[in-house]
C-alpha cells in the first residue's frame, strides 16, 4: 500500500480525462476524477456533439428545396428553435449519463467539484475544501473560448458556449473568426434562417487548409447568402438604442445585428489551477508543456488534450489518454502519434481532409503531382443545386506516396476517415489507381483521377 489516497487523480472529466480514468480504474487502480461542470466535457456538452446535431438541423431547408427536383412537394416548413435546444439537451444528458456509468463501472470515484493543485501530490477539492493525495496526477482540463477581453463591448457578445442555448434564435448574427468553429456556426445559423455575416482578419477563411478547400467553401457560402468580410476586425460592440447590437470594424463598417459571436480561438484552462505550487511549467499561452509522453515538468504529473495545445480535437485527447495509460500503467511506453490526423469541417458543403495541403507539400517536397477534380455531384443534377464538389490528391512525385487528400462536398468528413487509413498505411497513387471504383458514388472520383492535373516543381507549376 502506498501512502497516497489514490494511485491516479484526474482533473477534468472531458474526452481525455474520462478515458484515462476509466482505463486506469478497469486495471484495478485506485482512481478519482474531478469535474467542475458536466462529465463529457467540451465535446459532449458544448462542442462536437451538440454542434453536429445543430448542423443536421440546419441542413433541412436545403433538403426540402432539393426534394422538388425528385418529384416531391413539401408543404410549408416551420422551425422551432426551442424544440431543437430541448432535444439537444436530452441527448447530451443521455451521453453524460453514459460517461458517468462508464466511470462507475470501472470503479472510479466521481467527484463533482473543481480541483486545484496544492503541491505536486496534493489536490484540493474546491467544493468542500477537502484535500486528497495521489501518486500520479493527470491534468485534462481542456480549454475555453477566448473572450477577447480587450474588445470594448465583449461582454455583449456570445461564444460557442452560449450559442448552444440561446433563449431565442437571433434574426441576424455577426460571427468573428476564420477557424472551423466560426465557419461551422456561420453555416448552422444561416441554415436555420439567420441573416449571417462572418468577419475574419485574414485574407481567406480556414488558414491551415488547402487553398482549393478554402476558396471553394468561401464561394459556396457566399452563393448561399452568407456574407464574408475579410481583412477586417471588430473594434467595438455597443447596444443599439432600438435593441440589438452595433459592431464597428477597423475598416469603418457599422454592422447592426441581433447577436455577435466571438470564435477567436481557445485558451488552455490553467488559470488558478495551482500549477506553480506544484512546479508544472506552462508556455507563453498558458498551455501545459509536456514531453512526447505527455509528461509535464514534474515527472509524476501528466497533462493531455486541449490544455496542452497540441492538436485540439477529441480523438487526439482520447488517443493521448490511451498512450498515457499504456506508458504509466501497462509498462509499455507509448508516444501519441500526431501525424496524419484526418479531420472535418462540418460546413455546408463539408470539408474532409488528411495530410498536407498543396502549399505545405510544395514546401516539403521538390516535386509534387496534384490530381484535382471539380464536378457537380449526382444529387445536384435533379435538384438543380449549383454546388460543386472538389477532390484533390497531393502526391510526392519521387516516392509516389499520397501525402494529402482533400474533399469539399457532401459526406466529405465520412470519406476523410477512410482516406486517413490509406495515408497512414503509406499508400501510393498506384494503390489508388488499382482500386476498383464504387459506382455511382462521389468518392469514386478518388480512384479514377489517372492523370495529374498539374505538377509543381520547386514551387513552380509545370
Ligand atoms: C464548438 C466546438 C466544436 C468542436 N467540434 C469538434 C469536432 O467536430 N471534432 C473534434 O474532434 N473536436 C471538436 N472540438 C474540440 C473538442 O471538443 C476538444 O478537442 C476536446 O473536448 C478536448 O478534450 P479534453 O479532454 O482535452 O478537454 P475537455 O473536453 O474540454 O474537458 C475538460 C474538462 O475539464 C473540466 N475542468 C476544467 N478545469 C477543471 C478543474 N480545475 N477541476 C475540475 N474540472 C475542470 C471542464 O469543465 C471540462 O469538462 C470542438 C470544440 C468546440 C468548442
Amino acid at each position: 500500500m502506498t501512502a497516497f489516497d489514490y494511485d491516479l487523480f484526474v482533473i477534468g472529466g472531458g474526452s481525455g480525462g474520462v478515458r484515462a480514468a476509466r482505463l486506469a480504474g478497469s486495471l484495478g487502480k485506485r482512481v478519482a476524477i474531478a469535474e467542475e461542470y458536466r462529465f463529457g466535457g467540451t465535446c459532449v456538452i458544448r462542442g462536437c456533439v451538440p454542434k453536429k446535431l445543430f448542423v443536421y438541423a440546419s441542413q433541412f431547408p436545403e433538403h426540402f428545396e432539393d426534394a422538388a427536383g425528385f418529384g416531391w412537394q413539401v408543404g410549408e416548413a416551420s422551425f422551432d428553435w426551442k424544440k431543437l435546444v430541448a432535444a439537444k439537451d436530452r441527448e447530451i444528458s443521455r451521453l453524460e449519463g453514459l460517461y458517468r456509468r462508464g466511470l462507475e463501472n470501472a470503479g472510479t470515484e466521481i467527484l463533482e467539484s473543481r480541483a486545484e493543485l496544492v503541491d505536486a501530490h496534493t489536490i484540493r477539492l474546491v467544493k468542500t475544501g477537502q484535500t486528497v493525495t495521489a501518486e500520479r496526477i493527470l491534468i485534462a482540463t481542456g480549454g475555453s473560448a477566448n473572450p477577447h477581453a480587450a474588445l470594448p463591448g465583449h461582454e455583449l457578445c456570445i461564444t460557442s458556449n452560449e450559442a448552444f442555448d440561446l433563449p431565442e434564435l437571433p434574426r441576424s448574427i455577426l460571427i468573428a473568426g476564420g477557424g472551423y468553429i466560426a465557419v461551422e456556426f456561420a453555416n448552422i445559423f444561416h441554415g436555420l434562417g439567420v441573416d449571417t455575416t462572418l468577419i475574419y482578419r485574414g485574407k481567406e477563411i480556414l488558414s491551415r487548409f488547402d487553398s482549393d478547400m478554402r476558396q471553394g467553401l468561401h464561394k459556396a457560402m457566399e452563393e448561399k447568402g452568407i456574407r464574408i468580410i475579410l481583412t477586417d476586425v471588430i473594434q467595438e460592440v455597443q447596444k443599439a438604442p432600438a435593441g440589438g447590437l452595433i459592431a464597428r470594424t477597423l475598416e469603418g463598417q457599422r454592422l447592426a445585428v441581433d447577436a455577435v459571436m466571438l470564435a477567436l480561438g481557445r485558451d488552455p484552462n490553467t488559470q488558478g489551477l495551482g500549477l506553480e505550487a506544484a512546479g508544472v511549467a506552462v508556455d507563453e499561452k498558458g498551455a501545459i508543456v509536456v514531453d512526447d509522453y505527455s509528461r509535464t515538468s514534474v515527472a509524476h504529473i501528466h497533462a493531455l488534450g486541449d490544455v496542452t495545445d497540441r492538436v485540439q480535437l477529441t480523438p487526439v485527447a482520447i488517443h493521448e489518454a490511451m498512450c498515457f495509460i499504456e506508458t504509466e500503467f501497462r509498462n509499455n511506453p507509448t508516444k501519441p502519434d500526431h501525424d496524419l490526423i484526418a479531420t472535418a469541417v462540418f460546413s455546408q458543403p463539408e470539408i474532409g481532409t488528411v495530410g498536407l495541403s498543396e502549399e505545405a507539400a510544395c514546401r516539403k517536397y521538390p516535386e509534387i503531382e496534384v490530381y484535382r477534380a471539380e464536378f457537380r455531384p449526382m444529387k445536384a443534377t435533379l435538384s438543380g443545386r449549383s454546388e460543386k464538389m472538389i477532390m484533390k490528391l497531393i502526391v510526392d512525385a519521387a516516392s509516389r506516396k499520397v501525402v494529402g487528400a482533400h474533399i469539399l462536398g457532401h459526406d466529405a468528413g465520412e470519406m476523410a476517415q477512410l482516406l486517413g487509413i490509406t495515408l497512414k498505411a503509406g499508400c501510393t497513387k498506384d494503390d489508388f489507381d488499382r482500386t476498383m471504383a464504387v459506382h455511382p458514388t462521389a468518392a469514386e472520383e478518388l480512384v479514377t483521377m489517372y492523370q495529374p492535373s498539374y505538377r509543381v516543381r520547386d514551387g513552380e507549376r509545370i
Side-chain angles (χ1 to χ4, degrees), residues 52-64:
K52 191 77 189 279
L53 295 172
F54 280 18
V55 169
Y56 287 132
S58 67
Q59 287 170 339
F60 281 95
E62 287 197 356
H63 295 332
F64 298 148

Side-chain angles (χ1 to χ4, degrees), residues 12 14-16 35-36 41-42 48 51 114-115 142 180 305-306 313-315:
S15 307
E35 167 56 51
E36 67 179 353
T42 304
C48 334
K51 175 204 64 195
R114 179 174 169 81
Y180 80 95
D306 284 8
L313 291 170
T314 285

Side-chain angles (χ1 to χ4, degrees), residues 268-330:
N269 284 333
T270 48
Q271 292 241 332
L273 203 52
L275 296 178
E276 244 182 71
V280 174
V282 294
D283 67 14
E284 65 288 350
K285 282 163 78 183
I288 297 180
V289 180
V290 288
D291 69 8
D292 287 349
Y293 294 92
S294 302
R295 195 182 295 124
T296 70
S297 49
V298 180
H300 63 272
I301 302 182
H302 286 68
L304 50 82
D306 284 8
V307 75
T308 61
D309 194 23
R310 285 175 282 183
V311 183
Q312 298 187 0
L313 291 170
T314 285
V316 176
I318 292 173
H319 171 71
E320 288 168 357
M322 290 176 6
C323 293
F324 160 72
I325 295 293
E326 282 298 311
T327 304
E328 293 299 310
F329 294 109
R330 287 186 193 267

